[in-house]
Amino acid sequence: LSLDLSAYFRNIFKDGSQLIPLEVELNSVGSYIRLQQVGTKLPPRLQVDVDTVASKALVPPLSILTFVENSIKHSKRIDSPLEIIIQCTALQSDDRGYLNITITDNGGFSEEQLKLLNAPGTGKNDSEHIGIANVRRRLRLLYQEEAALCFMNLSDRASVELFLPLKNKTT
């Protein structure tokens, strides 16, 4: 528990302007989940699926952890555990590669929440969703208009999708 707590704190206080390896961000998520599992009747579950090319990617710190924290914070599940799935896939287009990060949970967004969360740069919900506003700012600073963030409901899951220009540890 002490190791997970110190790893979690170490990662949340990193310089947000520097990209970090995807595996470091996912390790931080794992530490956070293990902390949340202690002493709870229905501990959250985490499943992570990363393809080989995506595993070498660099990402902004807290770009995944923020959404996992929000899943747990806003979960209304009382009869079954929260199930969080993170999928990271490298996508190639004609001119460049992108990293697609999808974070889903067995919750859902209201239509009002979706409108607010997907509103382009209004800043109206920044004080209510500080973590998300910080991720948006970091994406703009690091990638300008080349990154995308989208919130949606799938059939039985809430989903957050990030599309980032693919930058690898070796490039």
Side-chain angles (χ1 to χ4, degrees):
L1 207 64
S2 296
L3 292 174
D4 282 328
L5 186 60
S6 63
Y8 172 72
F9 281 137
R10 198 171 30 253
N11 285 315
I12 65 169
F13 292 117
K14 281 188 177 182
D15 178 3
S17 66
Q18 300 295 314
L19 297 176
I20 61 171
L22 177 62
E23 66 187 280
V24 171
E25 178 72 359
L26 293 174
N27 287 340
S28 180
V29 168
S31 293
Y32 178 75
I33 290 292
R34 285 188 295 277
L35 289 168
Q36 295 303 310
Q37 290 172 332
V38 173
T40 58
K41 183 179 176 185
L42 295 169
R45 298 179 188 157
L46 176 66
Q47 178 184 332
V48 178
D49 181 24
V50 180
D51 76 25
T52 306
V53 176
S55 69
K56 297 174 177 62
L58 295 171
V59 297
L62 307 177
S63 56
I64 299 172
L65 181 61
T66 297
F67 300 108
V68 171
E69 288 176 341
N70 281 348
S71 287
I72 290 174
K73 178 180 176 185
H74 298 290
S75 175
K76 294 176 175 62
R77 304 206 63 83
I78 55 172
D79 58 345
S80 63
L82 179 67
E83 296 173 359
I84 300 169
I85 300 172
I86 300 170
Q87 295 174 302
C88 303
T89 308
L91 307 171
Q92 285 300 129
S93 69
D94 291 338
D95 57 342
R96 79 174 307 146
Y98 286 88
L99 175 64
N100 173 227
I101 302 170
T102 305
I103 303 129
T104 62
D105 67 40
N106 54 345
F109 297 111
S110 70
E111 288 302 315
E112 182 180 316
Q113 287 172 318
L114 284 174
K115 284 179 188 173
L116 281 173
L117 292 169
N118 285 318
T122 61
K124 290 180 182 176
N125 61 343
D126 285 0
S127 62
E128 191 174 319
H129 301 284
I130 294 169
I132 294 171
N134 286 340
V135 170
R136 284 187 200 281
R137 272 188 225 104
R138 212 171 300 121
L139 293 178
R140 267 193 308 273
L141 286 170
L142 294 168
Y143 304 109
Q144 289 76 41
E145 301 300 317
E146 293 185 73
L149 174 62
C150 179
F151 297 84
M152 66 190 97
N153 283 324
L154 304 176
S155 60
D156 62 343
R157 303 189 71 73
S159 178
V160 177
E161 273 201 270
L162 283 156
F163 290 92
L164 309 174
L166 187 59
K167 296 185 179 191
N168 291 332
K169 293 185 234 181
T170 59
T171 58

